[in-house]
């Protein structure tokens, strides 16, 4: 018996157009295009090759970064989940990756090493990943052998109508970072489209690039 299979046609020019829309919503921000999970199932390498206008790419796992580097992608790549083992620290340094720091485990792995660009992730209300407010400040001196690229957090409810939640996270992030002269990043796809006050120095479009 013949079994019909579903076929998805990926139009890379549509993804490029969606990137342009994201950039237009925040023209003063740099753009980290999030292409984790095989670019949300659309093919991580061809999507990256079509988004060369991005300032950086964001991936979740080390194997995704390896695919990009082996595929010839030279743009900065940020490992959003951070490094998990000492071997991953070595590989991140070798591949010239940027790394998110959001746990004490990361601090343990990175202390005494050098050569990475680091984003410090602050917990502001997502309740998933991130350093507690005020705690992150104690990490900076311990990571001085690396380059601190900036501070980031993640919006929990920007896709919905929970304006109070977004405002609360913005307030916490602002309070934590307003006196620090570093790049800042808060806006995901929902924040980019609906909450201009979240745009900051970097935006991180993800799902909006694909739909």
């Amino acid at each position: 018996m013949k079994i019909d299979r579903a076929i998805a046609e990926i139009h890379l020019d549509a993804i490029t157009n969606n990137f342009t829309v994201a950039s237009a919503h925040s023209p003063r921000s740099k753009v980290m295009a999030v292409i984790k999970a095989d670019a949300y199932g659309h093919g991580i390498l061809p999507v990256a090759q079509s988004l060369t206008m991005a300032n950086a790419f964001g991936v979740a796992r080390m194997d995704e970064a390896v695919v990009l580097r082996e595929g010839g992608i030279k743009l900065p790549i940020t490992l959003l989940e951070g490094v998990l083992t000492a071997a991953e620290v070595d590989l991140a340094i070798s591949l010239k990756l940027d790394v998110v720091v959001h746990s004490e485990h990361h601090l343990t792995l990175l202390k005494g090493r050098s050569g990475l660009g680091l984003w410090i992730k602050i917990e502001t209300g997502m309740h998933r990943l991130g350093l507690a407010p005020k705690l992150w400040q104690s990490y900076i001196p311990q990571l001085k052998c690396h380059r601190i690229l900036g501070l980031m957090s993640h919006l929990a409810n920007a896709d919905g109508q929970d304006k109070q939640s977004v405002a609360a996270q913005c307030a916490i992030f602002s309070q934590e970072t307003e006196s620090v002269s570093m790049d800042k990043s808060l806006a995901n796809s929902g924040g980019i489209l609906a909450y201009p006050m979240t745009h900051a120095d970097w935006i991180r479009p993800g799902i909006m690039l694909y739909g």
Side-chain angles (χ1 to χ4, degrees):
M1 182 178 70
K2 180 181 178 181
I3 299 176
D4 292 330
R5 297 183 182 277
I7 297 175
E9 293 187 3
I10 308 300
H11 296 277
L12 294 174
D13 56 343
I15 294 175
T16 301
N17 181 73
N18 291 340
F19 179 94
T20 302
V21 171
S23 297
H25 272 75
S26 185
R28 296 183 180 180
S29 302
K30 294 179 181 178
V31 184
M32 182 186 297
V34 179
I35 54 175
K36 62 183 181 180
D38 196 30
Y40 292 69
H42 293 74
I44 190 169
L45 188 55
V47 168
Q49 290 168 336
S50 72
L51 295 180
T52 56
M53 69 291 289
N55 300 102
F57 292 119
V59 300
R61 304 187 313 271
M62 180 62 76
D63 61 333
E64 297 171 333
V66 170
V67 167
L68 293 177
R69 287 291 189 242
E70 290 182 347
I73 300 301
K74 305 297 186 184
L75 283 174
I77 299 172
T78 300
L79 191 59
L80 298 171
E81 74 171 4
V83 285
L84 303 180
T85 65
E88 284 200 352
V89 176
D90 292 335
L91 188 53
I93 293 171
S94 174
L95 295 176
K96 299 184 180 347
L97 304 181
D98 299 328
V99 173
V100 174
V101 176
H102 57 73
S103 74
E104 187 174 355
H105 177 61
H106 293 149
L107 179 62
T108 300
L109 289 173
L110 294 169
K111 283 174 63 176
R113 306 302 298 277
S114 63
L116 290 174
L118 305 179
W119 282 93
I120 307 298
K121 189 168 188 177
I122 305 169
E123 162 57 38
T124 60
M126 185 72 180
H127 303 303
R128 188 172 65 187
L129 301 173
L131 303 174
K134 307 303 181 187
L135 175 63
W136 66 269
Q137 298 177 32
S138 68
Y139 278 49
I140 302 297
Q142 301 180 69
L143 296 169
K144 61 184 179 181
C145 290
H146 301 278
R147 293 174 296 112
I148 307 299
L149 301 175
L151 306 170
M152 68 164 57
S153 191
H154 193 79
L155 297 172
N157 297 301
D159 294 333
Q161 299 299 314
D162 191 353
K163 296 181 179 180
Q164 289 185 335
S165 171
V166 174
Q169 286 193 256
C170 282
I172 294 171
F173 191 68
S174 177
Q175 183 178 18
E176 287 292 309
T177 65
E178 62 184 353
S179 63
V180 181
S181 180
M182 293 183 189
D183 277 2
K184 302 169 182 71
S185 179
L186 182 60
N188 55 7
S189 293
I192 292 166
L193 295 173
Y195 299 99
M197 70 281 200
T198 68
H199 290 174
D201 301 293
W202 286 78
I203 56 174
R204 307 194 308 271
I207 191 66
M208 71 173 294
L209 296 176
Y210 312 100

